[in-house]
Amino acid sequence: AILLATGIASAQNKAVISADELFDFGTIKEANGNVSHTFKIKNSGEEPGEAPLVLTRVIASCGCTTPEWTKEPIAPGKTGDIKITYNPKDRPGPFVKTISVYSNGKTGSFILTIRGEVE
């Protein structure tokens, strides 16, 4: 019975991750070099006693995309950052890249997407 009660309590105190999931760079010039966008990651849990959101891993779909993220826990109702830098060198044409965000706010990964076109 203790295990069951603990499981229910922890489920009620779960962090909740949310963000705008897509950013479109539009048309960028290869000659201008890297472009970056910072996604605001919110802990949407706002009930008293809810857990802080902890981003444990952030993985880009290719080596041309580099993530940097908030390492500190994000309190309920507060935000953190995930900065994504895309390197357009030798990559002409349209691109769509995904970034998998692993945290205690969702089972599995939360997917962020960047897109645009390199000329």
Side-chain angles (χ1 to χ4, degrees):
I2 294 170
L3 291 176
L4 180 60
T6 303
I8 291 169
S10 65
Q12 291 171 341
N13 295 332
K14 191 172 168 106
V16 181
I17 187 171
S18 65
D20 290 334
E21 298 172 40
L22 171 68
F23 182 77
D24 190 338
F25 284 105
T27 302
I28 61 174
K29 295 191 181 306
E30 180 182 347
N32 290 348
N34 293 355
V35 291
S36 297
H37 173 70
T38 301
F39 288 92
K40 288 288 181 197
I41 304 299
K42 183 172 184 181
N43 181 354
S44 296
E46 295 182 10
E47 296 298 317
E50 285 195 354
L53 176 65
V54 179
L55 306 178
T56 52
R57 287 186 304 155
V58 180
I59 302 169
S61 61
C62 93
C64 60
T65 308
T66 307
E68 299 171 55
W69 65 95
T70 299
K71 304 295 194 285
E72 298 79 27
I74 303 167
K78 301 296 182 191
T79 62
D81 294 333
I82 298 179
K83 180 181 177 185
I84 305 301
T85 302
Y86 176 73
N87 181 352
K89 183 170 171 45
D90 299 327
R91 295 183 180 88
F95 66 89
V96 176
K97 303 296 175 188
T98 58
I99 298 89
S100 300
V101 180
Y102 294 88
S103 71
N104 64 334
K106 182 179 188 301
T107 302
S109 63
F110 183 85
I111 304 295
L112 301 174
T113 304
I114 59 169
R115 69 179 179 199
E117 182 157 1
V118 179
E119 62 176 31

